Amino acid sequence: MKKYDLNLTISSSPHAHSSNTTRRVMLDVCIALLPALIAAIWFFGWRSLTLTLVSVLGCVVSEWAYRKLMKKDSTVGDLSAVVTGILIAFVCPVTLPFWTILIADVFAIVLVKQLFGGIGMNIVNPALAARAFLFSWPSLMSGNWVKAGTAVSAFSTPANLDGLTAATPMASLAAQTLPAESLLDLFLGKIGGSLGEVSAAALLLGGAYLVLRRVISLRIPLAYLLTVAVLTVLFPQGGNDRLTWMLCQLLSGGLMLGAIFMATDYVTSPITHGGQIVYGIGCGVLTVAFRYFGSYPEGVTFAILIMNCCIGFFDKIGVPKRFGAVREKKKKGGEAA
Amino acid sequence: MNFRKQLKAGLLTNNPVLSQLLGMCSTMAITTTLFNGIGMGLSVTIILICSNVVISLLRKVIPDKIRIAAYIVIIAGFVTMVDLLLKAYVPALSDSLGVFIPLIVVNCIILGRAEAFASKNGVLASAVDGLTQGIGYTAALVVMCIIREFLGSGTFGKGVFGADGIRILPAQYPALMLILPVGGFLTLGCLIALTQWINKKLAEREAKKEAAR
Amino acid sequence: MKDVKYILRLTLTLFLITAVVAGLLGLVNYLTEDRIDELTRQKAEAAMQEVFPAGNYEELPAGADGITAAYRADDAGYVVRVSVNGFGGAIDMMVGVDNAGTVTGVSVISHGETASLGANCTREDFRAQFVGASDTLAVSKDGGSIDALTGATVTSRAVVSGVNLALDFVKEVG
């Protein structure tokens, strides 16, 4: 533990006190995710809500049980498990069986987060790691994308969906064709896909709330989205119109959710401003690379996970100068100079 | 030499896979069914005993400067023999382990034990070391196999009890990841943590005993 | 002088060890060679019988890339042995094709695919999909008729390409 102890000296009063706590931040994130949840219920029916609630419950119970078993203080109150639970549900198709999402919850909380020491210690984003783990059940994850507007009732686990499923815009883009849906539908979320990913409008609304509340800064999402935009406008595939291709890429798949809510996770993103920008650009480059050359249609998950592992390097970029300090000159030719 | 002490070292405190972190490649690659784990474990154990004995016998003859070359030749010889014998008499195992049998040559457990133990100790002790380290390797593989096969395929004893083993979980539940390399890393990580925890407890108990005396 | 002696000793020791090991290997090889050859032959024979049963197989000159061997089976058809690149190295397989250019069977002899995923390419229900086909095939993901194995698209594509190679070969020969 010693390694992480910060050498903070507490000076004498007066102290500036901020009401900013982990719980407050996480509550804000939950509020920001609400529009996307409402959109999901609107497009996919009440099962979106039950799946999200089951996932939240799974995460909270795993966190509580692990801390209890290991005789550590309970951290359930900081609400971070609730956010993880919501995000896991948001990256799943609405038809995912409940048992599958519960396994993903336990995986995210116990293996990815708690085994490394709990909140603040995890190397990668738990929700994204869970998403990657969910590829264990490929037929459940990517075989059942229901059309938007299919109301799935709260407690059913539909198995036979013939006629209700549709290719997602992401699948069309992977085949180098433009999706059949209009750009407006893509923006509003009237498309097939993971339940919280579909509505770019709702996600942007939530993102705006987070920025206004100063929970996140614009650096990471903006660097991420701009990189994807620039790369896709420069290199459109399949001879499609540059601008339309770029807009479709931006509005499809998990890009908005990833850029606004996952890449900005405090624990797994760089602290320095310069580092955050480089990190965002890296996420963007990798996302486009996975989408263009990977064997899965979507690449946001893997892009952010890989960048998560590299933040140790990015934190060295753009470290601000200490007030009054003179920057050490680079040594050339050893001490003798 | 105390056999029990060496066995404990091989299984826990100095387990080749879980404590020394040697032989990772085969550990990740083949631990998907019980049959593979037992077959690989036994092959390595036999080769380890043979190479340890021969190297211990020759330890005074082989000059220091060429010892690594000599060890590799001896190990490669034994591995190739086992490979040929398996191909001739246990073709099923040879098919399922494929290239990982010839790759035992570069398995660091064998060269590691030759260098760290057999080149410095007598024949009997070296044979016992080969046996206990081999048992440790096999045990680690078997545990990994059982976990990965159960969680990844939902079966127990594939290849040992019939071609498809005993089905425990219905086919739609197992997590594919566990039989992919990713699952190897996840399982190994958890097992290493568990071994370290057990070792810590053992050391604490030992210290208590010392203090009581 | 001392140096020369030392170098000689090094050389001789290593030479002796190598010679003994080589001798032993030769012995083991001599003892197992026939059995291994016999097993390999039996396996190939069984695979040939499976994909195109016949009394006599006459070897043909192998042609294009990927075709490692080809046999004329009783004037009724062909057995083509193909090697294609899968997910984990080469997949060695036999394809039986009758005179009309229709696939009669596919058998996978050896492969290095992931256990429980790509390794399922040896499964009967997967291979049975090829029987009766005569046109160029593709997996359903690429707009064809072959259902790919779960989680193993690369393997499925490789097997499909192998069958296509065999079909092309027979078209050229027959």
Side-chain angles (χ1 to χ4, degrees):
Chain A
M1 272 299 114
K2 224 171 194 173
K3 214 169 113 193
Y4 298 105
D5 282 348
L6 290 171
N7 264 326
L8 295 179
T9 323
I10 298 178
S11 57
S12 66
S13 56
H15 294 167
H17 186 75
S18 155
S19 60
N20 217 354
T21 59
T22 309
R23 183 205 283 258
R24 180 71 236 175
V25 168
M26 291 300 164
L27 195 63
D28 271 337
V29 177
C30 291
I31 293 170
L33 284 167
L34 274 181
L37 182 61
I38 293 167
I41 297 170
W42 180 265
F43 290 123
F44 298 123
W46 287 104
R47 199 173 191 280
S48 313
L49 184 65
T50 43
L51 194 67
T52 311
L53 289 179
V54 165
S55 176
V56 167
L57 196 71
C59 282
V60 170
V61 169
S62 335
E63 175 136 325
W64 174 81
Y66 180 88
R67 303 294 292 196
K68 188 95 186 164
L69 270 176
M70 293 292 141
K71 301 193 178 75
K72 290 178 177 173
D73 300 337
S74 175
T75 47
V76 169
D78 68 21
L79 297 183
S80 63
V82 175
V83 170
T84 304
I86 299 178
L87 286 178
I88 293 176
F90 273 21
V91 293
C92 295
V94 68
T95 52
L96 195 75
F98 293 117
W99 62 264
T100 327
I101 206 158
L102 284 174
I103 294 178
D105 293 338
V106 175
F107 178 82
I109 295 295
V110 176
L111 259 79
V112 183
K113 186 175 163 197
Q114 293 297 343
L115 281 186
F116 288 88
I119 185 168
M121 299 298 179
N122 47 302
I123 298 168
V124 296
N125 184 305
L128 281 176
R131 159 79 174 220
F133 188 71
L134 279 168
F135 282 113
S136 281
W137 299 276
S139 54
L140 298 177
M141 278 309 280
S142 49
N144 292 329
W145 302 114
V146 296
K147 279 182 197 160
T150 315
V152 186
S153 64
F155 295 103
S156 62
T157 299
N160 188 7
L161 288 161
D162 288 342
L164 294 178
T165 54
T168 60
M170 222 43 251
S172 318
L173 289 173
Q176 309 201 350
T177 51
L178 291 175
E181 293 87 351
S182 70
L183 277 174
L184 184 68
D185 282 351
L186 279 174
F187 181 70
L188 292 176
K190 222 177 139 204
I191 49 176
S194 299
L195 62 88
E197 284 177 357
V198 288
S199 176
L203 290 167
L204 286 172
L205 195 66
Y209 173 77
L210 286 184
V211 173
L212 284 179
R213 295 276 305 169
R214 292 177 181 259
V215 171
I216 61 170
S217 77
L218 274 175
R219 277 179 294 272
I220 294 174
L222 218 55
Y224 192 169
L225 294 173
L226 275 179
T227 311
V228 173
V230 168
L231 283 175
T232 47
V233 102
L234 284 181
F235 309 105
Q237 282 185 313
N240 290 301
D241 175 55
R242 281 168 194 283
L243 212 61
T244 327
W245 176 258
M246 183 265 275
L247 286 172
C248 287
Q249 284 280 358
L250 279 183
L251 296 174
S252 309
L255 185 59
M256 285 293 167
L257 183 67
I260 298 171
F261 291 97
M262 287 165 161
T264 52
D265 174 11
Y266 286 173
V267 181
T268 56
S269 63
I271 314 168
T272 61
H273 294 178
Q276 290 179 344
I277 289 169
V278 179
Y279 168 85
I281 294 174
C283 287
V285 171
L286 282 178
T287 301
V288 175
F290 277 121
R291 281 185 175 182
Y292 277 23
F293 310 114
S295 55
Y296 289 109
E298 178 57 302
V300 170
T301 308
F302 304 124
I304 302 180
L305 281 177
I306 290 174
M307 294 311 278
N308 279 171
C309 299
C310 306
I311 57 166
F313 304 113
F314 299 140
D315 270 338
K316 299 214 169 77
I317 302 169
V319 179
K321 205 177 81 172
R322 222 178 288 155
F323 182 70
V326 183
R327 196 154 275 186
E328 232 178 281
K329 274 180 191 162
K330 274 188 186 160
K331 280 174 191 160
K332 273 183 187 166
E335 299 286 307
Chain B
M1 270 294 149
N2 185 338
F3 179 74
R4 269 189 60 185
K5 218 170 162 185
Q6 270 182 305
L7 188 64
K8 192 178 138 191
L11 279 175
L12 282 170
T13 50
N14 199 21
N15 184 294
V17 177
L18 302 174
S19 290
Q20 301 175 51
L21 304 188
L22 295 177
M24 294 288 101
C25 178
S26 53
T27 308
M28 298 291 174
I30 57 97
T31 50
T32 48
T33 64
L34 189 60
F35 182 64
N36 280 358
I38 293 175
M40 189 73 185
L42 288 182
S43 312
V44 168
T45 308
I46 290 166
I47 293 166
L48 192 54
I49 296 173
C50 295
S51 73
N52 260 9
V53 166
V54 171
I55 286 164
S56 170
L57 276 173
L58 296 176
R59 69 185 189 278
K60 289 190 180 125
V61 186
I62 301 173
D64 224 28
K65 274 206 172 142
I66 53 157
R67 65 179 198 287
I68 300 290
Y71 297 166
I72 285 289
V73 170
I74 293 166
I75 293 166
F78 280 122
V79 171
T80 316
M81 280 176 218
V82 167
D83 187 29
L84 289 175
L85 289 170
L86 284 182
K87 265 192 191 139
Y89 296 100
V90 204
L93 187 61
S94 172
D95 279 352
S96 127
L97 293 178
V99 75
F100 289 99
I101 289 287
L103 277 180
I104 296 176
V105 176
V106 288
N107 190 322
C108 286
I109 296 171
I110 300 178
L111 190 63
R113 291 327 283 176
E115 176 75 5
F117 197 92
S119 61
K120 295 176 189 125
N121 288 286
V123 177
L124 192 65
S126 298
V128 171
D129 180 70
L131 181 67
T132 51
Q133 290 286 318
I135 291 174
Y137 178 72
T138 313
L141 286 200
V142 166
V143 172
M144 289 219 17
C145 286
I146 291 175
I147 295 175
R148 288 181 71 188
E149 193 189 327
F150 171 62
L151 295 176
S153 315
T155 57
F156 174 74
K158 240 186 201 179
V160 182
F161 308 109
D164 284 327
I166 302 163
R167 180 152 289 287
I168 300 172
L169 291 177
Q172 76 265 34
Y173 293 123
L176 203 63
M177 283 289 149
L178 266 296
I179 47 172
L180 295 179
V182 184
F185 282 102
L186 284 174
T187 319
L188 187 68
C190 293
L191 277 182
I192 290 173
L194 186 69
T195 324
Q196 297 301 329
W197 185 76
I198 293 174
N199 284 345
K200 206 176 113 196
K201 291 276 147 180
L202 283 178
E204 272 169 18
R205 218 173 58 187
E206 212 111 296
K208 242 182 219 165
K209 252 195 223 159
E210 281 301 300
R213 233 178 253 165
Chain C
M1 254 342 251
K2 210 178 152 197
D3 271 5
V4 174
K5 241 178 155 177
Y6 184 62
I7 290 170
L8 267 180
R9 205 186 126 209
L10 291 185
T11 321
L12 268 179
T13 326
L14 200 54
F15 175 75
L16 272 179
I17 290 174
T18 319
V20 171
V21 170
L24 281 172
L25 273 185
L27 186 72
V28 175
N29 189 37
Y30 172 76
L31 290 174
T32 54
E33 197 180 11
D34 292 345
R35 222 187 131 86
I36 294 174
D37 280 353
E38 178 63 25
L39 279 172
T40 320
R41 209 185 52 75
Q42 269 176 16
K43 213 172 159 188
E45 179 99 317
M48 284 204 262
Q49 286 291 355
E50 195 191 332
V51 298
F52 199 96
N56 175 46
Y57 297 99
E58 186 194 335
E59 185 149 9
L60 296 171
D65 294 336
I67 311 251
T68 46
Y71 306 88
R72 182 90 176 108
D74 278 358
D75 284 342
Y78 301 85
V79 173
V80 188
R81 187 167 186 167
V82 247
S83 173
V84 284
N85 263 330
F87 187 74
I91 301 175
D92 190 11
M93 46 190 255
M94 290 266 193
V95 184
V97 184
D98 65 13
N99 278 346
T102 313
V103 177
T104 56
V106 175
S107 164
V108 176
I109 301 169
S110 72
H111 66 84
E113 303 306 288
T114 318
S116 303
L117 292 174
N120 284 339
C121 65
T122 56
R123 276 199 357 210
E124 175 70 42
D125 53 345
F126 175 67
R127 291 183 288 124
Q129 296 183 75
F130 295 95
V131 176
S134 53
D135 291 329
T136 304
L137 293 161
V139 291
S140 47
K141 221 178 194 174
D142 303 334
S145 58
I146 304 291
D147 286 329
L149 294 161
T150 313
T153 315
V154 177
T155 311
S156 312
R157 282 193 183 132
V159 174
V160 167
S161 75
V163 175
N164 286 338
L165 272 179
L167 281 171
D168 289 347
F169 176 81
V170 170
K171 243 176 235 160
E172 252 170 55
V173 177

